Amino acid sequence: MTRKRIFSERVAGVKRRYRNRVLQCRLSAKVAKQKDLSRMTGIPCTTISAIESNKLFLSTPYALLIAEALDCKLDDLFEPWLGSKGKMP
């Protein structure tokens, strides 16, 4: 197995085990609209929407921008995701 494939499989495993809490953090920071967060970070609204709905995995650069804009910790933006069976996949 190649290094690239091993890395890809590890990244996929992380994506399955965690989801982001950007929506909850945005609302806690009293930023009512995705459009406002977009203006604060420079991240397109469509990307913020995809991140908040967990259709797009939150990358490190975006996480740093969002954490700074919402004045929260990086750890606040992620949570372990328990699958439909209540267990970590």
Side-chain angles (χ1 to χ4, degrees):
M1 196 179 297
T2 66
R3 285 185 177 189
K4 187 174 182 178
R5 184 171 175 154
I6 291 169
F7 178 76
S8 294
E9 288 179 7
R10 286 184 179 173
V11 169
V14 169
K15 289 180 181 182
R16 285 191 302 268
R17 290 193 313 262
Y18 290 91
R19 66 179 185 165
N20 74 71
R21 300 186 69 250
V22 173
L23 174 62
Q24 294 88 341
C25 291
R26 177 173 60 83
L27 296 176
S28 293
K30 298 190 179 5
V31 177
K33 298 181 180 180
Q34 290 176 347
K35 190 181 222 179
D36 296 332
L37 182 57
S38 175
R39 285 188 194 122
M40 295 165 73
T41 61
I43 300 170
C45 285
T46 54
T47 302
I48 290 174
S49 176
I51 290 169
E52 286 187 352
S53 63
N54 283 287
K55 292 179 181 173
L56 180 66
F57 191 72
L58 180 58
S59 68
T60 303
Y62 283 170
L64 290 167
L65 288 170
I66 292 169
E68 185 177 292
L70 299 179
D71 194 30
C72 67
K73 298 177 188 173
L74 283 175
D75 287 348
D76 296 337
L77 295 176
F78 294 94
E79 70 180 353
W81 184 65
L82 302 176
S84 60
K85 295 181 175 132
K87 296 180 183 175
M88 292 286 285

